Amino acid sequence: MSLPALFDVPASSPAVPVASGPSGVTVLSYGLGADSTAILLRFLAHPERYGLRPDLSDLVVVHAVTGDEWPDSLDYVERLVLPRLRAARVRLVQIARGGQEDADGVVILDDSRAPRRVFAHGPWRLSDELRSAGTVPQMANGNRTCSIRAKGFCLDAWAAAEFGTAWFRRTIGYHAGEIGRAEKDSRIQDGLNAAAGRTLCEPYYPLIHEGMDRAAVEAYVLEELGEPIRKSYCAMCCFSGVCASRDAHEDRLRRHPRIAADVLRLEYVSQALNEKVALYGTTSLRSRLTEDGRNAAVVEEFARSLARAPHAVYEVRRIYFAARTADCRTWHGQDCRAPRWWCRQPRTEHCARAHPVAELGPWCAGAEACRGEARKGQAWRSVRTVHEGDRAGTEAYVWAMAAEHGMRFEAGEHSGIERAHYLTEGDGYPTASAYLVAAPAGVHDKQRPRFEERFTALTGRDGTVGMPVRELPEPRPRRATAGRPLVRPAESLIPPR
Ligand code: SF4
Ligand SMILES: [Zn+2]
Ligand SMILES: [Zn+2]
């Protein structure tokens, strides 16, 4: 993936310093929020109390740029925090992902003891990735994958390049109300240290040691900086009801109606492609905002931006495979490659008589007793763009296709978004669904290499109903990182904000 010209990078990584034992450096992961700002101010005020040198030459403040931070958070830190860092000559390193793939590495946007600005974005933004995937930030297996990709990956790669095999003290802003999170973090770090066979870093939680809870942290920052600090998070964060109270979040959306409209559009596309994936599960930000008349201007801005946005018609097909069940394991051992709803052999005598295998469609139409437990397995999604135009034109296309192919029109249960369905999932697994929907353009066509084959085997259908506007991108082999992502300084450091 080529990087924008603003981020010209040299061809190779700087050499990784090799050392062992302690580096003697304390790293503060600076998220721009109240907790890490409080720690930073305390470090500046009393370095020795926190085991730092009086001149703070052994402190590195690292900020991972997601590209979607609120402008008022950037402004706050630039006005009130950076002057203090400059005065104390504290080193601030700003880093961002180099691109979508890990092989694109990490770009150092700035590394300075006299920082003048906080970068709004690097060559990659979390929201761009979400927009092209047609989704919103989500949890996966209890993890915030967005945060791992946008922040954790950059911080780990930068630290590995900076310290080599030397270990450092990693300062994290958990406050006294977050002891459970700190304990979990310590356990994870212990596991990582054990797996590496050495100490990678030593976690340090100064706010917990000092018994400062969230209220104490906010009061301290207010006292020091004279203005209440605003919470720091990506504008489209699915934890925005947690990161900030709902009221504070909605107030911020009202102050930034354009950003609000962008977030609402991102959510709209996500729901168009998957009814169940709004910003807060099935509950959408849009439905929350419409509950309160104070948000009318934001909702209108969104309506205008939706009307103006270039649109596409997406043909969305899904295969829901069956998961293996206890029955399936009992009768088909380790090796059942095609678990089915009735994956229960030997079948009952009645089933064998009444529903001979040759007559079974995708699922046994027989009595309940014939079937084993139905459990949903993996779901595969294919998104193909079959038409492009303005909003009215793409909606007209969907209506015309629905009339021509006898599709069923239905508004989404949560979103109200209208879709033309030509295949609806059945009760058992495997099963499939398919529909056409008009929504803002920008989602990249995507499906697994064997999707068509499996879709045809399951449904008897051949390809899409609409004519895809473009070919699927060729699957590219994953690029190697030689075990370690590149960490590269940007040569041009001034992206427009
Ligand atoms: S602030 Fe929210 S959206 Fe942004 S990286 Fe963190 S969890 Fe993800
Ligand atoms: Zn089976
Ligand atoms: Zn049967």
Side-chain angles (χ1 to χ4, degrees):
M1 178 177 191
S2 63
L3 300 173
L6 278 170
F7 295 93
D8 301 335
V9 290
S12 61
S13 267
V16 173
V18 176
S20 56
S23 65
V25 174
T26 294
V27 173
L28 170 62
S29 166
Y30 189 35
L32 312 185
D35 299 329
S36 49
T37 299
I39 294 176
L40 185 49
L41 294 173
R42 293 177 91 77
F43 281 179
L44 292 174
H46 305 286
E48 284 140 318
R49 191 190 288 173
Y50 301 96
L52 294 162
R53 289 191 200 130
D55 65 358
L56 291 161
S57 57
D58 52 353
L59 172 64
V60 186
V61 180
V62 187
H63 173 52
V65 175
T66 63
D68 294 285
E69 186 52 74
W70 289 97
D72 48 3
S73 281
L74 300 177
D75 177 65
Y76 184 97
V77 172
E78 277 181 0
R79 280 190 300 109
L80 303 175
V81 179
L82 292 197
R84 293 182 179 224
L85 288 183
R86 286 196 295 272
R89 304 279 306 152
V90 168
R91 182 177 168 202
L92 172 67
V93 181
Q94 301 185 58
I95 52 180
R97 276 188 82 93
Q100 181 109 359
E101 291 184 43
D102 288 359
D104 295 318
V106 172
V107 176
I108 298 170
L109 305 171
D110 196 15
D111 185 344
S112 169
R113 291 190 185 274
R116 291 266 152 206
R117 56 175 310 186
V118 182
F119 278 71
H121 64 84
W124 172 96
R125 300 168 78 133
L126 179 56
S127 55
D128 290 342
E129 178 166 294
L130 295 166
R131 204 169 290 116
S132 63
T135 191
V136 290
Q138 291 171 65
M139 295 278 282
N141 304 323
N143 290 319
R144 303 175 180 199
T145 38
C146 48
S147 178
I148 293 169
R149 278 177 66 66
K151 300 178 189 171
F153 169 79
C154 301
L155 293 166
D156 290 348
W158 172 83
E162 176 78 13
F163 298 111
T165 56
W167 61 267
F168 59 97
R169 191 164 64 146
R170 178 171 62 93
T171 312
I172 306 141
Y174 292 135
H175 58 70
E178 296 179 310
I179 291 175
R181 288 182 75 185
E183 284 171 350
K184 183 177 169 196
D185 180 70
S186 285
R187 276 196 304 277
I188 291 172
Q189 192 58 55
D190 285 347
L192 292 172
N193 291 348
R198 65 183 176 86
T199 302
L200 300 165
C201 66
E202 184 188 70
Y204 176 42
Y205 315 105
L207 296 178
I208 292 180
H209 292 172
E210 297 193 291
M212 290 179 78
D213 62 11
R214 181 80 194 181
V217 164
E218 286 181 2
Y220 169 72
V221 174
L222 175 60
E223 190 188 316
E224 281 291 310
L225 299 182
E227 284 180 32
I229 189 163
R230 293 202 154 243
K231 294 193 171 128
S232 150
Y233 55 96
C234 302
M236 70 292 172
C237 185
C238 56
F239 304 101
S240 45
V242 178
C243 297
S245 72
R246 179 174 163 180
D247 267 359
H249 181 55
E250 292 185 10
D251 176 56
R252 214 162 191 187
L253 291 166
R254 287 192 290 273
R255 288 164 189 253
H256 299 92
R258 290 250 167 95
I259 293 177
D262 284 350
V263 173
L264 287 166
R265 251 193 356 266
L266 189 77
E267 178 184 66
Y268 184 93
V269 174
S270 173
Q271 283 189 296
L273 302 187
N274 190 340
E275 181 64 24
K276 296 189 183 122
V277 183
L279 224 44
Y280 313 111
T282 53
T283 304
S284 65
L285 173 65
R286 185 158 53 114
S287 66
R288 281 192 180 185
L289 292 180
T290 46
E291 283 167 15
D292 183 342
R294 285 179 303 169
N295 298 319
V298 167
V299 175
E300 278 162 28
E301 179 67 35
F302 165 60
R304 276 194 298 276
S305 89
L306 195 59
R308 279 195 308 261
H311 269 58
V313 175
Y314 300 110
E315 186 160 341
V316 183
R317 292 174 295 158
R318 283 192 175 78
I319 304 172
Y320 304 95
F321 293 100
R324 297 205 65 194
T325 58
D327 279 336
C328 181
R329 285 205 183 81
T330 303
W331 301 110
H332 306 154
Q334 293 303 309
D335 238 10
C336 180
R337 281 165 192 263
R340 302 246 161 196
W341 189 11
W342 65 89
C343 219
R344 175 200 254 188
Q345 294 276 10
R347 291 188 295 153
T348 61
E349 269 178 44
H350 169 77
C351 178
R353 255 197 331 274
H355 317 117
V357 172
E359 289 176 22
L360 294 177
W363 37 82
C364 177
E368 194 74 12
C370 298
R371 305 165 190 153
E373 180 196 354
R375 265 190 54 215
K376 187 173 162 190
Q378 251 195 339
W380 285 9
R381 179 170 93 175
S382 159
V383 177
R384 301 301 306 269
T385 305
V386 294
H387 188 74
E388 288 172 329
D390 60 15
R391 188 178 188 194
T394 50
E395 285 177 356
Y397 175 93
V398 176
W399 280 100
M401 289 290 278
E404 188 183 335
H405 297 276
M407 296 178 187
R408 178 177 53 82
F409 250 96
E410 199 175 296
E413 181 189 350
H414 310 287
S415 67
I417 296 171
E418 291 209 315
R419 302 177 178 84
H421 297 263
Y422 62 89
L423 210 54
T424 306
E425 59 252 49
D427 298 332
Y429 301 104
T431 185
S433 72
Y435 61 80
L436 295 177
V437 66
V443 179
H444 293 178
D445 284 17
K446 194 174 174 195
Q447 67 184 39
R448 289 175 189 251
R450 294 188 62 202
F451 183 89
E452 293 301 345
E453 183 192 319
R454 305 294 288 269
F455 188 74
T456 301
L458 184 60
T459 65
R461 288 178 165 271
D462 198 10
T464 48
V465 173
M467 176 65 75
V469 168
R470 57 187 68 84
E471 296 284 311
L472 279 169
E474 284 290 316
R476 282 185 308 167
R478 209 171 264 278
R479 285 184 288 140
T481 60
R484 191 188 288 279
L486 288 177
V487 177
R488 306 170 291 187
E491 286 173 0
S492 330
L493 297 177
I494 317 292
R497 179 149 112 212

